Amino acid sequence: MQSKWHIGVAVGALIALGFSAGARAEDVYIPLICKGFQHQFWQSVKAGAEEVAKADNVKITFEGPETETMVDKQIDMLAADLAKKPKAIGFAALDSKAAIPLLKRAQSEKIPVIAFDSGVDSDIPVTTCRTDSVAAAATAADKMAEAIGGSGEVGVIVHDQTSRTGIDRRDGFVNRIKEKYPNIKIVSVQYGAGDHLKSAEIAKTMIQGNPNLKGIFGANEGSAEGAAIGVKESGKKLVLIGFDSGKEQKDAIRSGVMLGAITQNPIGIGKCTVDSAVKALRGEALPKVIDTGFYWYDKTNIDDPKIAAVLYD
């Protein structure tokens, strides 16, 4: 079924989309470049993007480097897609600064840029579809403080210190602890590139080096999954809080290895990205940030339909 916009589309709207009269809506090409494909999170973002693209009858591609450490490869992908002269482009930056020269080129060529998941340090994107990572990580800090009785030592494992999500989740957690919980000490902040094996080794080293450690916060899917592996292999019982979803995290929560996690709305992020691109091409004004929301989930609500709808395997 076509959307109302496509049923009622006029020549003026086609021109706004960069077409001449007689052009087809499906000729609108919008590439989306994500951070990587090793996490199920991105497959859910892709599913949401494809759903809206089908409804709006536009062509999208969805790609990303093999891992979330490949900043140079992601930049090459962005350059290659810009060379194809897309009508708009979606970009989830691995490095909040590295892509700015290419994004300036897109801007000069009047190609609207939609940032998703992780923004850039620039006002070039017409909007950013994302979770409020600072607020979400602050919620994780509150849950940690509650679980350890408001005092003790905790550690943090983050996916990177270059993307906005890495920076914001680290700072959201750390700053909430510093501001609100003076009896909690963050003894270590380490970076595992979102890789579960590397994060597992970090967790084990963190536990060995801090015998009084009461908790660990893993700031994305790979960080949290790795922390869970490290905790199990160390044999130490502590409070583990994650971010995102995925089968491994859900299993860890059900088994009690992990207390709970923050889930984003990845399908909603994908939908927002393509919807915003189409709106930008139609000349509609967009807010600079579109908050796609987050939820805390644990054993008590993991099967709640509202929560289950934003979890993924």
Coordinates of all heavy atoms in Angstrom, one line a residue, residues 197-260:
L197 N 35.5 -10.2 22.9 CA 36.7 -10.9 23.4 C 37.6 -10.0 24.1 O 38.1 -10.2 25.2 CB 37.4 -11.7 22.3 CG 36.6 -12.8 21.7 CD1 37.3 -13.5 20.5 CD2 36.2 -13.9 22.7
K198 N 37.9 -8.8 23.5 CA 38.7 -7.8 24.1 C 38.1 -7.3 25.4 O 38.8 -7.1 26.4 CB 39.0 -6.7 23.1 CG 40.0 -5.7 23.6 CD 40.4 -4.7 22.5 CE 41.4 -3.7 23.0 NZ 41.7 -2.7 21.9
S199 N 36.8 -7.1 25.3 CA 36.1 -6.6 26.5 C 36.2 -7.6 27.7 O 36.2 -7.2 28.8 CB 34.7 -6.2 26.2 OG 34.7 -5.1 25.2
A200 N 36.1 -8.9 27.3 CA 36.2 -9.9 28.3 C 37.5 -9.9 29.0 O 37.6 -10.0 30.3 CB 35.9 -11.3 27.7
E201 N 38.6 -9.7 28.3 CA 39.9 -9.6 28.9 C 40.1 -8.4 29.7 O 40.7 -8.4 30.8 CB 41.0 -9.6 27.8 CG 41.1 -10.9 27.0 CD 41.4 -12.1 28.0 OE1 42.3 -12.0 28.8 OE2 40.7 -13.1 27.8
I202 N 39.5 -7.3 29.3 CA 39.5 -6.1 30.1 C 38.8 -6.3 31.4 O 39.3 -5.9 32.5 CB 38.9 -4.9 29.3 CG1 39.8 -4.5 28.2 CG2 38.6 -3.7 30.3 CD1 39.2 -3.4 27.2
A203 N 37.6 -6.9 31.4 CA 36.9 -7.2 32.6 C 37.6 -8.1 33.6 O 37.7 -7.8 34.8 CB 35.5 -7.9 32.2
K204 N 38.3 -9.1 33.1 CA 39.0 -10.0 33.9 C 40.2 -9.2 34.6 O 40.5 -9.4 35.8 CB 39.5 -11.2 33.2 CG 38.4 -12.2 32.9 CD 39.0 -13.5 32.3 CE 39.4 -13.4 30.9 NZ 39.8 -14.7 30.3
T205 N 40.9 -8.4 33.8 CA 42.0 -7.6 34.3 C 41.5 -6.6 35.4 O 42.2 -6.4 36.4 CB 42.8 -6.9 33.2 OG1 43.2 -7.9 32.3 CG2 43.9 -6.1 33.7
M206 N 40.4 -6.0 35.1 CA 39.8 -5.1 36.0 C 39.5 -5.7 37.3 O 39.7 -5.2 38.4 CB 38.6 -4.5 35.3 CG 38.1 -3.2 35.9 SD 36.6 -2.5 35.0 CE 37.4 -1.8 33.5
I207 N 38.9 -6.9 37.3 CA 38.5 -7.6 38.5 C 39.7 -8.1 39.3 O 39.8 -7.9 40.5 CB 37.6 -8.9 38.1 CG1 36.3 -8.4 37.6 CG2 37.5 -9.8 39.3 CD1 35.5 -9.5 36.9
Q208 N 40.8 -8.5 38.6 CA 42.0 -9.0 39.2 C 42.7 -7.8 39.9 O 43.3 -8.0 41.0 CB 42.9 -9.7 38.2 CG 42.4 -11.0 37.8 CD 43.1 -11.5 36.5 OE1 44.0 -10.9 36.0 NE2 42.7 -12.7 36.0
G209 N 42.7 -6.7 39.2 CA 43.4 -5.5 39.8 C 42.7 -4.7 40.8 O 43.2 -3.8 41.5
N210 N 41.4 -5.0 41.0 CA 40.6 -4.3 42.0 C 39.7 -5.3 42.8 O 38.6 -5.5 42.5 CB 39.7 -3.3 41.3 CG 40.4 -2.3 40.5 OD1 40.9 -1.3 41.0 ND2 40.6 -2.5 39.2
P211 N 40.3 -5.9 43.8 CA 39.6 -7.0 44.5 C 38.4 -6.6 45.2 O 37.5 -7.4 45.5 CB 40.7 -7.5 45.5 CG 41.7 -6.3 45.6 CD 41.7 -5.7 44.3
N212 N 38.2 -5.3 45.4 CA 37.0 -4.8 46.1 C 35.9 -4.3 45.1 O 34.9 -3.7 45.4 CB 37.3 -3.6 47.0 CG 38.2 -4.1 48.2 OD1 38.0 -5.2 48.7 ND2 39.1 -3.3 48.6
L213 N 36.1 -4.6 43.8 CA 35.2 -4.1 42.7 C 33.8 -4.7 43.0 O 33.6 -5.9 43.2 CB 35.7 -4.6 41.4 CG 35.1 -3.9 40.1 CD1 35.6 -2.4 40.1 CD2 35.5 -4.6 38.9
K214 N 32.8 -3.8 42.9 CA 31.4 -4.2 43.1 C 30.6 -4.2 41.9 O 29.6 -4.9 41.8 CB 30.8 -3.2 44.1 CG 31.1 -3.4 45.6 CD 30.2 -2.6 46.4 CE 30.4 -2.8 47.9 NZ 29.4 -2.0 48.7
G215 N 31.1 -3.5 40.8 CA 30.2 -3.5 39.6 C 31.0 -3.1 38.4 O 32.1 -2.4 38.5
I216 N 30.5 -3.4 37.2 CA 31.0 -3.0 35.9 C 29.8 -2.6 35.0 O 28.8 -3.2 35.0 CB 31.8 -4.1 35.2 CG1 33.0 -4.5 36.0 CG2 32.2 -3.7 33.8 CD1 33.8 -5.7 35.4
F217 N 30.0 -1.4 34.3 CA 29.1 -1.0 33.3 C 29.7 -1.2 32.0 O 30.8 -0.7 31.7 CB 28.8 0.5 33.6 CG 28.0 1.2 32.4 CD1 26.8 0.7 32.0 CD2 28.5 2.4 31.8 CE1 26.1 1.3 30.9 CE2 27.8 3.0 30.8 CZ 26.6 2.4 30.4
G218 N 29.0 -1.9 31.1 CA 29.5 -2.1 29.7 C 28.6 -1.2 28.8 O 27.4 -1.4 28.7
A219 N 29.3 -0.3 28.0 CA 28.5 0.8 27.4 C 28.0 0.5 26.0 O 27.4 1.4 25.4 CB 29.5 2.0 27.3
N220 N 28.2 -0.7 25.5 CA 27.4 -1.1 24.3 C 27.3 -2.6 24.2 O 27.7 -3.3 25.2 CB 28.1 -0.5 23.0 CG 29.3 -1.4 22.5 OD1 29.9 -2.0 23.3 ND2 29.5 -1.3 21.2
E221 N 26.7 -3.1 23.2 CA 26.4 -4.6 23.1 C 27.7 -5.4 23.3 O 27.7 -6.3 24.2 CB 25.8 -4.9 21.8 CG 25.4 -6.4 21.6 CD 24.7 -6.6 20.3 OE1 24.3 -5.7 19.6 OE2 24.7 -7.8 19.9
G222 N 28.8 -5.1 22.5 CA 30.0 -5.9 22.7 C 30.7 -5.7 24.0 O 31.2 -6.7 24.6
S223 N 30.7 -4.5 24.5 CA 31.3 -4.3 25.8 C 30.6 -5.0 26.9 O 31.2 -5.6 27.8 CB 31.3 -2.8 26.1 OG 31.8 -2.0 25.1
A224 N 29.3 -5.0 26.9 CA 28.5 -5.7 27.9 C 28.6 -7.2 27.8 O 28.8 -7.9 28.8 CB 27.0 -5.2 27.8
E225 N 28.5 -7.7 26.6 CA 28.7 -9.2 26.4 C 30.0 -9.6 26.8 O 30.2 -10.7 27.5 CB 28.4 -9.5 24.9 CG 27.0 -9.4 24.4 CD 26.8 -9.8 23.0 OE1 27.8 -10.1 22.3 OE2 25.7 -9.7 22.5
G226 N 31.1 -8.9 26.5 CA 32.4 -9.2 26.9 C 32.6 -9.2 28.4 O 33.2 -10.1 29.0
A227 N 32.0 -8.2 29.0 CA 32.1 -8.1 30.5 C 31.4 -9.3 31.2 O 31.9 -9.8 32.2 CB 31.4 -6.8 31.0
A228 N 30.3 -9.7 30.6 CA 29.6 -10.9 31.2 C 30.5 -12.1 31.1 O 30.6 -12.9 32.0 CB 28.3 -11.1 30.4
I229 N 31.2 -12.3 29.9 CA 32.1 -13.4 29.8 C 33.2 -13.3 30.8 O 33.6 -14.3 31.5 CB 32.7 -13.4 28.4 CG1 31.6 -13.7 27.3 CG2 33.8 -14.5 28.3 CD1 32.1 -13.5 25.9
G230 N 33.8 -12.1 31.0 CA 34.9 -11.9 31.9 C 34.4 -12.2 33.4 O 35.2 -12.8 34.1
V231 N 33.2 -11.8 33.7 CA 32.7 -12.0 35.1 C 32.6 -13.5 35.3 O 33.0 -14.0 36.4 CB 31.4 -11.2 35.3 CG1 30.7 -11.7 36.6 CG2 31.7 -9.7 35.3
K232 N 32.0 -14.2 34.4 CA 31.8 -15.6 34.5 C 33.1 -16.4 34.6 O 33.3 -17.2 35.5 CB 31.0 -16.2 33.3 CG 29.5 -15.8 33.4 CD 28.7 -16.6 32.4 CE 28.9 -16.0 31.0 NZ 28.0 -16.7 30.0
E233 N 34.1 -16.0 33.8 CA 35.4 -16.7 33.8 C 36.2 -16.3 35.1 O 37.0 -17.2 35.5 CB 36.2 -16.3 32.6 CG 35.6 -16.9 31.3 CD 36.4 -16.6 30.1 OE1 37.4 -15.9 30.2 OE2 36.0 -17.2 29.0
S234 N 35.9 -15.2 35.7 CA 36.7 -14.8 36.9 C 36.1 -15.5 38.1 O 36.8 -15.6 39.1 CB 36.6 -13.3 37.1 OG 35.3 -12.9 37.5
G235 N 34.8 -15.9 38.0 CA 34.2 -16.5 39.2 C 33.8 -15.6 40.2 O 33.3 -16.0 41.3
K236 N 33.9 -14.3 40.0 CA 33.5 -13.3 41.0 C 32.1 -12.8 40.8 O 31.6 -12.6 39.7 CB 34.4 -12.1 40.9 CG 34.2 -11.0 42.0 CD 35.2 -9.9 41.8 CE 34.9 -8.7 42.8 NZ 35.2 -9.1 44.2
K237 N 31.4 -12.6 41.9 CA 30.0 -12.1 41.8 C 30.0 -10.6 42.0 O 30.5 -10.1 43.0 CB 29.1 -12.8 42.9 CG 27.7 -12.5 42.8 CD 26.8 -13.3 43.7 CE 25.3 -13.0 43.6 NZ 24.8 -13.1 42.3
L238 N 29.5 -9.9 41.0 CA 29.4 -8.5 41.1 C 28.2 -8.0 40.3 O 27.6 -8.8 39.6 CB 30.7 -7.8 40.7 CG 31.4 -8.1 39.3 CD1 30.6 -7.6 38.2 CD2 32.8 -7.6 39.3
V239 N 27.9 -6.7 40.3 CA 26.8 -6.2 39.6 C 27.2 -5.7 38.2 O 28.2 -4.9 38.1 CB 26.2 -4.9 40.4 CG1 25.1 -4.3 39.5 CG2 25.7 -5.4 41.7
L240 N 26.6 -6.3 37.2 CA 27.0 -6.0 35.8 C 25.8 -5.4 35.2 O 24.7 -5.9 35.2 CB 27.4 -7.3 35.1 CG 27.7 -7.2 33.6 CD1 28.8 -6.2 33.4 CD2 28.1 -8.6 33.1
I241 N 26.0 -4.2 34.6 CA 24.9 -3.5 33.9 C 25.4 -3.2 32.4 O 26.5 -2.8 32.2 CB 24.6 -2.2 34.6 CG1 23.8 -2.5 35.9 CG2 23.8 -1.2 33.7 CD1 23.5 -1.3 36.7
G242 N 24.5 -3.5 31.5 CA 24.9 -3.3 30.1 C 24.1 -2.2 29.3 O 23.4 -1.5 29.9
F243 N 24.4 -2.2 28.0 CA 23.7 -1.2 27.1 C 23.4 -2.0 25.8 O 24.2 -2.8 25.4 CB 24.7 -0.1 26.9 CG 24.0 1.2 26.6 CD1 23.9 2.3 27.5 CD2 23.3 1.4 25.3 CE1 23.3 3.5 27.2 CE2 22.7 2.6 25.0 CZ 22.7 3.6 26.0
D244 N 22.3 -1.7 25.3 CA 21.8 -2.4 24.1 C 21.2 -3.7 24.4 O 20.9 -4.0 25.6 CB 22.9 -2.6 23.0 CG 23.4 -1.3 22.4 OD1 22.5 -0.4 22.2 OD2 24.6 -1.1 22.1
S245 N 21.0 -4.6 23.4 CA 20.3 -5.9 23.7 C 21.1 -7.0 23.0 O 22.3 -7.0 23.2 CB 18.9 -5.8 23.1 OG 18.2 -7.0 23.2
G246 N 20.5 -7.9 22.3 CA 21.2 -9.0 21.7 C 21.0 -10.2 22.6 O 20.7 -10.2 23.8
K247 N 21.0 -11.4 21.9 CA 20.8 -12.7 22.6 C 21.6 -12.9 23.8 O 21.2 -13.3 24.9 CB 20.9 -13.8 21.6 CG 20.5 -15.2 22.2 CD 20.7 -16.3 21.2 CE 20.1 -17.6 21.8 NZ 20.8 -18.0 23.1
E248 N 22.9 -12.6 23.7 CA 23.9 -12.9 24.8 C 23.5 -12.0 26.0 O 23.5 -12.6 27.2 CB 25.3 -12.6 24.4 CG 25.8 -13.5 23.2 CD 25.7 -14.9 23.5 OE1 26.0 -15.3 24.7 OE2 25.3 -15.7 22.6
Q249 N 23.2 -10.8 25.8 CA 22.8 -9.9 27.0 C 21.5 -10.4 27.6 O 21.4 -10.5 28.8 CB 22.7 -8.5 26.5 CG 24.0 -7.7 26.5 CD 23.8 -6.2 26.6 OE1 23.6 -5.7 27.7 NE2 23.8 -5.5 25.5
K250 N 20.5 -10.7 26.7 CA 19.3 -11.2 27.3 C 19.4 -12.5 28.1 O 18.8 -12.6 29.2 CB 18.3 -11.4 26.1 CG 17.8 -10.0 25.6 CD 17.2 -10.1 24.2 CE 16.1 -11.0 24.0 NZ 15.4 -11.0 22.7
D251 N 20.2 -13.4 27.6 CA 20.5 -14.6 28.3 C 21.2 -14.3 29.6 O 20.9 -15.0 30.7 CB 21.4 -15.6 27.5 CG 20.6 -16.2 26.3 OD1 19.4 -16.0 26.3 OD2 21.3 -16.8 25.4
A252 N 22.1 -13.4 29.6 CA 22.9 -13.0 30.8 C 21.9 -12.4 31.9 O 22.1 -12.7 33.1 CB 24.0 -12.1 30.5
I253 N 21.0 -11.7 31.4 CA 20.0 -11.1 32.4 C 19.1 -12.1 32.9 O 18.8 -12.2 34.1 CB 19.2 -9.9 31.7 CG1 20.1 -8.7 31.5 CG2 18.0 -9.5 32.5 CD1 19.6 -7.7 30.6
R254 N 18.6 -13.0 32.1 CA 17.7 -14.1 32.5 C 18.4 -15.0 33.5 O 17.8 -15.5 34.5 CB 17.2 -14.9 31.3 CG 16.3 -14.1 30.4 CD 15.7 -15.0 29.3 NE 15.0 -14.3 28.3 CZ 13.8 -13.8 28.4 NH1 13.1 -14.0 29.5 NH2 13.2 -13.2 27.4
S255 N 19.7 -15.2 33.3 CA 20.5 -16.2 34.2 C 20.9 -15.5 35.5 O 21.4 -16.2 36.4 CB 21.7 -16.7 33.4 OG 22.7 -15.7 33.2
G256 N 20.9 -14.2 35.5 CA 21.3 -13.4 36.7 C 22.8 -13.0 36.7 O 23.2 -12.3 37.6
V257 N 23.5 -13.3 35.6 CA 24.9 -12.8 35.5 C 24.9 -11.3 35.3 O 25.8 -10.6 35.9 CB 25.6 -13.5 34.3 CG1 27.0 -12.8 34.0 CG2 25.8 -15.0 34.5
M258 N 23.9 -10.8 34.6 CA 23.8 -9.3 34.4 C 22.5 -8.8 35.1 O 21.5 -9.5 34.9 CB 23.8 -9.0 32.9 CG 23.9 -7.5 32.5 SD 23.9 -7.2 30.7 CE 25.4 -8.0 30.3
L259 N 22.6 -7.7 35.8 CA 21.4 -7.2 36.5 C 20.4 -6.7 35.5 O 19.2 -7.0 35.6 CB 21.8 -6.1 37.4 CG 20.7 -5.3 38.1 CD1 20.0 -6.3 39.1 CD2 21.2 -4.1 38.8
G260 N 20.9 -5.9 34.5 CA 19.9 -5.4 33.6 C 20.7 -4.5 32.6 O 21.9 -4.5 32.6

